[in-house]
Amino acid sequence: MSQPALIAHELTRTLGTRRVLDGVSLTASPGRRIGLIGENGVGKSTLLRLLAGVDTPDSGSVVRPPDLGFLQQEAPYDATATIADVLDDALRETRAELAELDRLGEALSRTPEESDAYAELLDAYGTLLQSAQEREAWDADRRASITLTGVGLGALAHTRTLGSLSGGQRGRLALAALLVRRPAALLLDEPTNHLDDDAALFVEEQVRALPGVVVLASHDRAFLDAVCTDLVDLDPAVEGPVRFGGNYTAYRAEKRAERERWERRFAEEQEELVALRHAAGVSAHRVAPDRGPRDNEKMGYGVRANRVQSQISRRVRNATRRLEELERTRVAAPPPPLRFRPERLAQVPGGAPTGAETGVETGVDIDGDEPLVSLRAVHVPGRLTLDRLDVTPDDRLLVTGANGTGKSTLLAVLAGHLAARGETLRRTGLSVGLLAQDSVFARPERTARDTYVRELGFERAEAVPLAGLGLLRAADLDRPVGHLSVGQRRRLALALLVARPPELLLLDEPTNHLSPTLCDELEDAMGAGPGAIVVACHDRWLRERWKGRELRLDRTADAG
């Protein structure tokens, strides 16, 4: 049975007053795994919603397979549903298919082979059998168990309600349900956000094995590199979204070349426009005959003048035609790309340290060359156990470990947001900034610019303008925060931190929801520089290129 394609034609979508998608077309054939990339807010999630049919385009059309699965950034299940309910729903079509095969088989056994009904039954049975084989229907229950284990949920009781799970666990359960279901077309929005290394590798294998269409939006450069057969860049380009064949590594080189071609074509056209305008509007008047005949050329003057005038007129007409054509077809100016180039992410500690904060009070002074924060025998029941950690003034520390090992908990302890048993020594007056996984703003109706000014104060916001940080486009500065994409809100939260660099910067999964380009630039900014930076991250691309030291956490013995 041939798998159907997913075809979108000339999709446009306006949200509020902003045109998010403008004439986007996409053909996704079976066996192609297409990654959607681009800056935050260019419409990756919007396009997926249109492809899935959960949102309607202002114009354009989508032809989609009837069997389509969509992983949204927010799991669609009710909080009272159990894990068993989710798995039953994922297996419902497969079980119905097997039941229908049994019914058709029984009907065939009771129907004479020479009858017309037998041929019809046999054809229906053959079609359904092929579909069941492609779904691996007889192995579905075992595959469901393997998939739950693969995404790190195998130890959870199936009676657990979704309301009792963390956001990351709910996201992994929704992804597992789709992989178990194996739809003909699979749409994934940030599928690896809550996956550790083993789970990400497992999902890569599962997605590569799907015979149908896969379209995904992801910030995960390692996942894009391992899974995608094509990448569609939704950033502005000469002729709309550009489709690159190959994975993320191939895309990076082609993207630079495509941008250079656009810039070169624009510059050449601008030069030609200037020359044509001069030829059509100025040069002709200066070249036209402006003198009378000399005595010795009176007989031929009229002929020569007419010939010159004819040549001039022809040149003017040609220049005018070319000018009109070029003004009609010329490319737009390449918009300046967002470039994250902060002066620094953190700063050198200022005041002298004098004592301890959370945990056991010791009253021990810490010299200027000593750590900013020291942890000894720290324990948060069920979440974190750590014998010792010192964060030095210029540290670059990467915290890794599987889900549930306490990476976010450790950052909360270092930030002073969570009390822990044991001893925590912290410099008095130490400034700490924490980029949490969820960027929540109390007043979503305020614009990004207004939020920035109110949180920093007018003087600081003037000294470090939001527009100058290269995190949000000018068109997004005056949009309400609640209308920004998840990634754009994350960019705003990052801007608020680096506008007033702390002495200790804590980044919890900093590459989640950010564009691959910004992830590359954020990594560069985390290199050498003042202050201390601690990063908790599952991003394999970042970890493979990390230059600082690494702390790997293991699951605590009393973790549920």
Side-chain angles (χ1 to χ4, degrees), residues 26-110:
L26 177 70
T27 298
S29 303
R32 308 306 293 181
R33 298 180 296 276
I34 300 173
L36 305 178
I37 56 177
E39 292 294 347
N40 301 113
V42 296
K44 299 185 293 294
S45 294
T46 299
L47 178 55
L48 285 176
R49 290 174 60 82
L50 295 179
L51 295 177
V54 300
D55 193 9
T56 304
D58 301 321
S59 63
S61 61
V62 180
V63 177
R64 60 182 65 87
D67 181 20
L68 182 145
F70 180 30
L71 177 72
Q72 305 182 61
Q73 290 188 32
E74 296 295 331
Y77 301 108
D78 187 88
T80 60
T82 65
I83 293 177
D85 292 334
V86 174
L87 292 179
D88 285 342
D89 182 62
L91 293 169
R92 175 172 45 81
E93 294 173 0
T94 298
R95 288 169 176 165
E97 207 167 52
L98 292 177
E100 179 64 8
L101 274 174
D102 288 342
R103 188 192 70 79
L104 290 173
E106 291 177 3
L108 280 169
S109 66
R110 298 192 304 269

Side-chain angles (χ1 to χ4, degrees), residues 238-239 265 269 273 322-332:
V238 176
E239 298 176 354
R265 177 178 168 184
E269 287 185 350
L273 282 168
R322 173 58 182 155
L323 178 61
E324 292 173 350
E325 177 188 1
L326 187 55
E327 286 183 333
R328 188 172 59 252
T329 62
R330 62 179 173 171
V331 300

Side-chain angles (χ1 to χ4, degrees), residues 204-420:
E204 285 175 9
E205 294 173 358
Q206 295 293 307
V207 171
R208 284 198 300 263
L210 292 173
V213 171
V214 178
V215 181
L216 61 96
S218 179
H219 68 277
D220 188 333
R221 293 157 292 175
F223 188 76
L224 293 170
D225 216 41
V227 167
C228 291
T229 60
D230 306 81
L231 290 171
V232 174
D233 189 344
L234 294 176
D235 282 338
V238 176
E239 298 176 354
V242 179
R243 183 163 177 164
F244 298 88
N247 58 15
Y248 181 70
T249 297
Y251 154 80
R252 293 177 75 191
E254 291 187 44
K255 170 70 171 179
R256 286 192 296 270
E258 188 271 335
R259 174 77 187 196
E260 290 170 0
R261 286 192 296 270
W262 186 4
E263 292 174 345
R264 185 167 56 251
R265 177 178 168 184
F266 176 76
E268 291 171 351
E269 287 185 350
Q270 292 303 302
E271 290 179 5
E272 187 178 0
L273 282 168
V274 170
L276 289 171
R277 286 166 182 154
H278 181 77
V282 178
S283 299
H285 298 293
R286 291 181 178 175
V287 175
D290 56 358
R291 61 177 177 82
R294 296 188 179 94
D295 290 339
N296 62 353
E297 61 180 9
K298 287 180 180 178
M299 294 296 293
Y301 176 75
V303 174
R304 285 192 297 274
N306 287 337
R307 185 160 57 256
V308 170
Q309 190 63 48
S310 176
Q311 292 171 349
I312 291 169
S313 298
R314 186 166 59 253
R315 288 199 297 269
V316 171
R317 286 196 302 271
N318 291 341
T320 301
R321 280 198 298 269
R322 173 58 182 155
L323 178 61
E324 292 173 350
E325 177 188 1
L326 187 55
E327 286 183 333
R328 188 172 59 252
T329 62
R330 62 179 173 171
V331 300
L338 285 176
R339 286 292 177 263
F340 181 51
R341 295 289 187 267
E343 183 179 341
R344 59 186 182 276
L345 293 181
Q347 63 178 331
V348 175
T354 57
E357 290 187 2
T358 60
V360 176
E361 299 286 345
T362 66
V364 177
D365 290 346
I366 307 176
D367 295 332
D369 294 334
E370 291 298 311
L372 301 179
V373 183
S374 291
L375 306 181
R376 299 290 184 271
V378 165
H379 181 63
V380 179
R383 296 167 64 180
L384 175 69
T385 296
L386 188 64
D387 291 335
R388 178 189 181 104
L389 176 64
D390 293 321
V391 180
T392 60
D394 58 354
D395 217 341
R396 293 295 185 273
L397 174 63
L398 178 65
V399 182
T400 63
N403 289 326
T405 55
K407 299 187 296 295
S408 297
T409 300
L410 174 58
L411 263 58
V413 171
L414 291 173
H417 296 173
L418 179 65

Side-chain angles (χ1 to χ4, degrees), residues 528-548:
I533 300 177
V534 180
V535 180
C537 191
H538 70 270
D539 188 323
R540 291 166 291 163
W541 190 279
L542 182 150
R543 295 199 328 261
E544 289 172 2
R545 290 156 181 78
W546 185 255
K547 304 299 184 184

Side-chain angles (χ1 to χ4, degrees), residues 129-151:
L129 178 63
Q130 186 170 354
S131 173
Q133 289 172 336
E134 289 176 352
R135 283 181 181 270
E136 300 179 5
W138 290 273
D139 200 35
D141 285 287
R142 187 181 73 88
R143 194 173 68 251
S145 177
I146 291 173
T147 302
L148 275 185
T149 300
V151 300

